[in-house]
Amino acid sequence: MTSSARPLVNRRLAEFGTTIFAEMSALALRTGSINLGQGFPDTDGPEEVREAAVRALRDGRGNQYPPGPGVPELRTAIAAHQERRYGLSYDPDTEVLVTAGATEAIAAALLALLETGDEVVALEPYYDSYAACIAMAGGTRVPVTLRPHEGAFRLDLDELRAAVTDRTRLLLINTPHNPTGTVLTRAELTAIAELAVERDLLVVTDEVYEHLVFDEAEHVPLATLPGMRERTVSIGSAGKTFSFTGWKVGWVTAAPGLVAAVRSAKQFLTYVASGPFQYAVAEALALPDSYFTAFRDDMLTKRDLLATGLAEAGFGVFRPAGTYFVTTDIRPLGEQDGFAFCRALPERAGVVAIPNAVFYDHREAGAPFVRFAFCKRTGVLEEATRRLKTLGA
Ligand code: PMP
Ligand code: GLN
């Protein structure tokens, strides 16, 4: 213990407390509730990928420190995936960096690219680590709020343009977007790209849900748009795409200078991580298209099951075009405050969800919205919606 009255957590981090995901997963455990809060699947990914990890462990591949940038097999597989899916060509040696999940990629990118006082324009609501990492990097976040419009949360491009100042260093984009499920359109992304070029901004784009895009929505990687290849740090993750969130294998693809910059921070965070899992993810990325299609179709069925159930339970539902989250409006249930609602939900219905307000600086703008994850077994989703239907009773 220290005798000084000074708080132990520094001023940059003090406002963030414990992440909502830890808080809500602990609440689910404590109350025995169905956990539709933290976004992790309740079944593991493909057996052959799990076996690939076992094989790597047994063969002694990755049990000692892997190379700093990631094992060559994985860097090659990441580059091949970007080429095969999007026609983007990256040099595995200079333009790919393996990280401890997308979380470390985001942290390292912000720590490396920001000077104290630089402004970061980010889409609000934002994934919780963005705000904390911008703060740790000494940056200032400038939110641009996605607002409900005709059943989806939409970006106002004029607001985005107005948010850019002479102090803006980078745009932090996330599509498909957690927690709203919005997938930015090609037209919106083109406008973002034009703005970045015009104002000479860097772009960090979190595309971890790239394979979870539904209906007629299309995932357009920002790096494919004119002028973006050289200014964009693209972030991906095996956690969401292959349903192994515990493995913490993520990556960055970008031009050599940007990758070197991100690596300069990353080498002092974890240095390296996930050795044997890197080999397994290399095999996973090479799975045939049928894997990715079946994965998406399965999540689409689950989306419809949960979205329909939530609507029948009386929630306002924003049917997501991407991700595995449904954002709901609790006002039709006579509720206003998502925090209070989520804290009471285990007691009232035996279900845990996430209050979207935690992802906002403008907390009032997020107050009535609550997020439910649908990356769960069908029976679990059915039971959750059955319970939630008792709320209005
Ligand atoms: N970005 C977004 C938008 C997320 O939802 C998540 C959670 N998967 C992450 C980053 C972190 O990914 P990882 O688990 O690979 O660190
Ligand atoms: N990305 C997951 C979500 O949004 C949670 C990851 C985490 O717990 N940090 O629910």
Side-chain angles (χ1 to χ4, degrees):
M1 283 299 285
T2 166
S3 55
S4 118
R6 184 176 145 176
L8 293 177
V9 173
N10 69 37
R11 240 180 269 133
R12 291 187 300 286
L13 278 174
E15 70 173 287
F16 299 108
T18 301
T19 97
I20 194 69
F21 304 118
E23 181 188 338
M24 288 299 167
S25 284
L27 182 64
L29 265 182
R30 207 164 57 239
T31 58
S33 298
I34 296 178
N35 188 358
L36 302 188
Q38 192 176 27
F40 63 90
D42 63 356
T43 44
D44 286 350
E47 189 54 33
E48 67 263 44
V49 176
R50 195 156 51 174
E51 278 305 316
V54 172
R55 238 188 302 117
L57 272 163
R58 289 226 173 89
D59 294 350
R61 287 179 298 140
N63 292 331
Q64 310 303 331
Y65 297 131
V71 303
E73 288 85 345
L74 178 54
R75 281 184 279 120
T76 302
I78 292 165
H81 170 269
Q82 298 301 89
E83 176 80 55
R84 172 168 70 135
R85 304 286 307 191
Y86 311 121
L88 278 166
S89 130
Y90 287 102
D91 178 345
D93 289 332
T94 58
E95 297 189 309
V96 179
L97 175 66
V98 176
T99 55
T103 306
E104 190 194 34
I106 294 159
L110 295 170
L111 287 167
L113 300 173
L114 295 180
E115 291 291 358
T116 303
D118 280 347
E119 291 178 357
V120 177
V121 173
L123 308 181
E124 177 185 73
Y126 23 55
Y127 183 58
D128 71 340
S129 84
Y130 298 177
C133 288
I134 293 168
M136 286 193 278
T140 303
R141 58 185 186 271
V142 177
V144 174
T145 309
L146 303 181
R147 296 185 200 283
H149 179 68
E150 294 176 355
F153 284 78
R154 300 265 45 121
L155 172 64
D156 180 330
L157 290 168
D158 291 330
E159 249 181 78
L160 178 71
R161 282 186 208 100
V164 173
T165 74
D166 292 343
R167 290 179 301 280
T168 309
R169 173 65 166 160
L170 65 83
L171 305 178
L172 177 50
I173 303 297
N174 171 215
T175 185
H177 183 263
N178 178 9
T180 63
T182 291
V183 176
L184 295 175
T185 63
R186 183 176 287 278
E188 288 166 336
L189 290 161
T190 301
I192 291 171
E194 285 167 2
L195 180 65
V197 171
E198 180 193 320
R199 302 298 296 263
D200 195 20
L201 304 173
L202 297 174
V203 178
V204 174
T205 178
D206 176 345
E207 301 181 359
V208 300
Y209 298 100
E210 64 190 304
H211 290 286
L212 285 174
V213 172
F214 310 122
D215 309 324
E216 58 286 345
E218 171 199 20
H219 174 63
V220 180
L222 256 172
T224 59
L225 297 174
M228 297 308 282
R229 173 72 171 70
E230 61 270 27
R231 66 178 66 247
T232 302
V233 175
S234 304
I235 294 174
S237 171
K240 305 290 153 165
T241 299
F242 301 111
S243 300
F244 289 113
T245 58
W247 289 9
K248 296 300 288 189
V249 176
W251 52 84
V252 160
T253 47
L258 286 169
V259 162
V262 178
R263 196 173 55 231
S264 69
K266 183 257 180 321
Q267 66 186 340
F268 297 122
L269 294 173
T270 57
Y271 177 47
V272 291
S274 312
F277 300 129
Q278 292 193 25
Y279 292 95
V281 171
E283 293 191 28
L285 282 166
L287 286 171
D289 288 349
S290 55
Y291 165 74
F292 297 90
T293 310
F295 174 61
R296 193 207 42 222
D297 289 350
D298 180 46
M299 286 297 173
L300 176 60
T301 308
K302 291 172 192 287
R303 176 200 71 170
D304 289 340
L305 200 169
L306 184 62
T308 303
L310 288 166
E312 285 169 4
F315 290 82
V317 170
F318 297 89
R319 198 170 279 250
T323 76
Y324 44 47
F325 304 111
V326 182
T327 282
T328 60
D329 187 339
I330 58 175
R331 285 172 294 191
L333 291 166
E335 304 277 345
Q336 305 293 331
D337 177 352
F339 267 114
F341 179 81
C342 287
R343 293 220 163 92
L345 199 55
E347 177 82 8
R348 290 177 65 191
V351 175
V352 159
I354 300 286
N356 285 23
V358 296
F359 304 123
Y360 286 79
D361 279 313
H362 303 106
R363 293 251 152 146
E364 68 297 341
F369 303 118
V370 166
R371 188 194 87 174
F372 293 85
F374 54 84
C375 45
K376 308 292 174 181
R377 282 164 292 156
T378 303
V380 171
L381 295 174
E382 283 165 353
E383 174 59 18
T385 52
R386 196 191 59 72
R387 293 182 185 187
L388 291 166
K389 284 175 196 168
T390 64
L391 279 175

